[in-house]
Amino acid sequence: RQEWSTQHFGRGSFIVRQLAYGIEKLPLHTIVLQGDPYGLAGAIVDFIDLSVTLVLESCGLKLAKEHDQRTQGGTDRPRCLRCRKEFPADSGAFFCSSCGARMPKVEKRSWGDEANELVHRNQSPGAALRVEETVVIDFVSRFLFSQLAYRGLFPSEATAADRALERTTQRLARWLQPRHLDVATFVAETPQVAVASSLIQSLETQKSPRDMLQTISRAWSMVTETACFRVQRQRDVMGSASSDAYGADDAVPLILFVVVRAQPARFASCLAYVERFTPKDVMKGASGYGFTNIEGAKVFLENVRPEVLCNLEEGEWERNMG
């Protein structure tokens, strides 16, 4: 298990270290287990954002952006050696308009040239790298959330809600068929549906809410797109022009089947974890739409009754769920 390490945060390492020590002392377990009565989720998100900013600066992303702003068409903007005033790359000036000094010759310079110069000046190699901001955000948030999860942010054991869902899905998985959810058998048997079930099953192994949401989004997209293609193909083969197109109303029962097949452990805790630490603007997008449908599957399983299932044989519910 890794310990807190802030050596890569550069000048902000002291700030991050002190915040990390302070966060460790907070009742982190209350965020997921008790609905965040102290409003700590916002503080955790702010801490992650601050850490990401400091790491971006340490990795030289800010320097890379400054280079892009200073460079036009691969040519450095001319700068006076005496007063350091910059001029447009196409100004053609031979003398500085501010101090009268002769302007240096403008040379073609690439990002690689500037990187080599930074290394020769014994500056940090990280300053010579062009870092993708999304990669840094993923890495830092994954690392920090994994550390906080070990310290109680994510429940170490299944909650009462988790255990109730596990009992329901285990019992349903023994006998529930696609026809009980009005799902076509040939759709439920696609390899993509099996992969989607594996994705849902893997949620509890991930400690970052960002990773969990991405996994949920992948599972939802895979199920809906595959089912849409298969149903459309069957419709074309049968020549049934009157059939409705496959839409959200058809995808919802299929995702129910996927969740039952997956029998995910600590499912309620995983969804609560994602909801607490995902910005509202993200939830308004495609990922949030997939999450909403997965959340709906959880609610359905919590309240499943024989009346909401289809094509039940006489006594079938009582034999399997009674």
Side-chain angles (χ1 to χ4, degrees), residues 54-259:
L54 295 175
V55 173
L56 288 175
E57 292 181 355
S58 298
C59 290
L61 185 62
K62 183 178 180 181
L63 181 62
K65 290 182 178 179
E66 290 177 350
H67 176 272
D68 291 339
Q69 293 171 357
R70 193 171 69 250
T71 303
Q72 296 180 3
T75 302
D76 279 355
R77 300 177 65 181
R79 184 197 299 266
C80 177
L81 297 178
R82 179 185 296 175
C83 67
R84 310 304 293 170
K85 180 179 179 179
E86 288 187 350
F87 293 85
D90 57 352
S91 64
F94 291 96
F95 295 93
C96 177
S97 60
S98 296
C99 65
R102 188 175 183 83
M103 295 292 293
K105 182 180 178 181
V106 177
E107 299 178 352
K108 288 280 185 178
R109 289 171 58 82
S110 65
W111 174 253
D113 295 331
E114 188 160 335
N116 290 331
E117 182 179 329
L118 289 169
V119 174
H120 288 309
R121 293 205 306 260
N122 294 323
Q123 293 194 16
S124 169
L129 298 177
R130 182 181 299 276
V131 182
E132 291 291 341
E133 186 171 351
T134 54
V135 174
V136 175
I137 293 174
D138 284 341
F139 177 82
V140 175
S141 63
R142 186 178 297 115
F143 171 76
L144 293 177
F145 271 114
S146 66
Q147 297 300 308
L148 293 172
Y150 287 128
R151 288 160 172 80
L153 187 63
F154 187 78
S156 59
E157 298 179 353
T159 64
D162 292 330
R163 291 191 293 270
L165 275 173
E166 288 176 17
R167 287 193 297 268
T168 300
T169 54
Q170 288 171 2
R171 296 170 73 180
L172 285 172
R174 290 196 293 262
W175 64 276
L176 192 73
Q177 299 298 318
R179 61 182 174 82
H180 293 132
L181 296 170
D182 200 23
V183 173
T185 302
F186 74 93
V187 172
E189 292 177 351
T190 58
Q192 290 82 355
V193 169
V195 173
S197 294
S198 298
L199 289 172
I200 297 298
Q201 197 174 47
S202 70
L203 285 176
E204 72 150 351
T205 65
Q206 304 167 12
K207 301 306 178 186
S208 167
R210 188 184 183 94
D211 289 343
M212 289 183 180
L213 184 60
Q214 290 175 351
T215 300
I216 288 172
S217 180
R218 286 177 57 200
W220 172 253
S221 298
M222 187 174 297
V223 165
T224 55
E225 291 174 7
T226 303
C228 178
F229 171 75
R230 292 290 294 259
V231 170
Q232 181 65 44
R233 190 177 71 171
Q234 185 191 47
R235 197 177 79 176
D236 294 340
V237 170
M238 297 178 63
S240 177
S242 61
S243 299
D244 294 332
Y246 194 91
D249 291 342
D250 305 282
V252 169
L254 182 56
I255 202 64
L256 286 171
F257 181 77
V258 166
V259 172

Side-chain angles (χ1 to χ4, degrees), residues 14-86:
F14 176 78
I15 299 175
V16 173
R17 187 182 301 112
Q18 295 303 311
L19 286 173
Y21 291 156
I23 287 174
E24 287 181 359
K25 300 181 184 299
L26 297 175
L28 300 178
H29 65 282
T30 62
I31 299 178
V32 174
L33 294 179
Q34 301 177 21
D36 194 19
Y38 305 109
L40 300 179
I44 300 295
V45 172
D46 290 342
F47 168 67
I48 301 279
D49 291 342
L50 173 62
S51 301
V52 168
T53 300
L54 295 175
V55 173
L56 288 175
E57 292 181 355
S58 298
C59 290
L61 185 62
K62 183 178 180 181
L63 181 62
K65 290 182 178 179
E66 290 177 350
H67 176 272
D68 291 339
Q69 293 171 357
R70 193 171 69 250
T71 303
Q72 296 180 3
T75 302
D76 279 355
R77 300 177 65 181
R79 184 197 299 266
C80 177
L81 297 178
R82 179 185 296 175
C83 67
R84 310 304 293 170
K85 180 179 179 179
E86 288 187 350

Side-chain angles (χ1 to χ4, degrees), residues 247-308:
D249 291 342
D250 305 282
V252 169
L254 182 56
I255 202 64
L256 286 171
F257 181 77
V258 166
V259 172
V260 171
R261 172 181 287 187
Q263 302 180 52
R266 294 191 287 180
F267 191 44
S269 293
C270 289
L271 296 184
Y273 193 53
V274 172
E275 187 175 11
R276 293 294 176 192
F277 295 106
T278 301
K280 292 182 179 180
D281 57 332
V282 176
M283 283 298 191
K284 294 179 181 178
S287 298
Y289 180 69
F291 175 84
T292 300
N293 284 282
I294 298 293
E295 176 76 18
K298 178 186 78 76
V299 174
F300 177 89
L301 293 172
E302 288 175 335
N303 302 279
V304 62
R305 296 290 185 273
E307 295 80 15
V308 298

